[in-house]
Amino acid sequence: MDEQFIGREFITNSVDDTFSLGKDFGEQLQGGEVIEFIGDLGAGKTSFVRGLVDGLGSDDEVASPTFTISRLYKTHSGLSIYHFDFYRLQEDPGLVAEELAEASMDPKTIVCVEWAETVRDMLPSGRITIELVGMGDSEDKRTIKFNRV
Ligand code: ADP
Ligand code: MG
């Protein structure tokens, strides 16, 4: 991925803005990226992933993996997006952590992780973090910050 997003901060004013930013970001991905999403419930993590998956040229529908823990989407160019949500496994990530570690090593897979606190040890360094924060002054405004850690 070229580094146009890394170290930058964007403001979105609606869920559609966040989707578009996710789409622009997704278009830059090549496979092998691991992306950790940081932000409260309702911050827009899943909405961003929806754009990202669209930007990669997938027609798959992105639903929140909060209940299924993980979801897999495919692109027409043969990439996979593995979308994890550890919200319900904050006590013990169990075997899903192995699934995450394996997916993170696959150069044809893009890994997106929500609520990664319990599995942070397993995430590779050099991953991208995307932090979404509500702004307080408007219900629909978010700052979205990209970093590499
Ligand atoms: P998360 O995965 O972080 O829990 P979701 O993407 O599932 O969050 O939900 C975000 C909610 O916030 C949606 O209901 C969406 O309509 C709303 N929303 C309002 N403004 C924004 C924004 N700027 N970006 C993303 N979502 C927004
Ligand atoms: Mg979510």
Side-chain angles (χ1 to χ4, degrees):
M1 191 187 106
D2 78 30
E3 297 287 299
Q4 75 173 99
F5 288 91
I6 304 303
R8 288 186 64 194
E9 181 173 316
F10 296 78
I11 290 176
T12 67
N13 289 299
S14 66
V15 64
D16 291 347
D17 274 4
T18 296
F19 179 95
S20 302
L21 184 64
K23 183 168 174 160
D24 290 348
F25 176 77
E27 284 169 0
Q28 306 292 320
L29 298 172
Q30 277 150 7
E33 292 90 352
V34 176
I35 305 156
E36 177 186 352
F37 288 86
I38 302 164
D40 290 341
L41 266 184
K45 303 179 295 295
T46 299
S47 303
F48 187 101
V49 172
R50 209 165 266 136
L52 180 156
V53 167
D54 191 59
L56 278 162
S58 173
D59 296 327
D60 290 353
E61 197 180 316
V62 174
S64 173
T66 301
F67 293 100
T68 56
I69 316 299
S70 71
R71 286 183 178 272
L72 187 63
Y73 319 112
K74 299 278 186 190
T75 73
H76 295 298
S77 60
L79 295 174
S80 301
I81 301 104
Y82 220 139
H83 184 191
F84 292 91
D85 183 333
F86 286 94
Y87 186 74
R88 278 159 38 95
L89 300 183
Q90 291 183 70
E91 299 289 313
D92 174 14
L95 283 175
V96 191
E98 309 297 325
E99 209 179 318
L100 169 70
E102 203 163 302
S104 299
M105 288 186 298
D106 181 357
K108 289 215 165 264
T109 297
I110 290 137
V111 174
C112 295
V113 194
E114 301 186 39
W115 300 101
E117 283 76 3
T118 43
V119 291
R120 202 161 271 148
D121 290 356
M122 325 217 35
L123 295 176
S125 58
R127 69 186 176 276
I128 298 163
T129 59
I130 303 180
E131 184 172 7
L132 300 92
V133 183
M135 299 288 283
D137 53 334
S138 154
E139 209 183 304
D140 294 340
K141 196 166 168 185
R142 307 283 189 273
T143 54
I144 303 182
K145 252 186 261 180
F146 296 78
N147 277 299
R148 195 180 279 287
V149 298

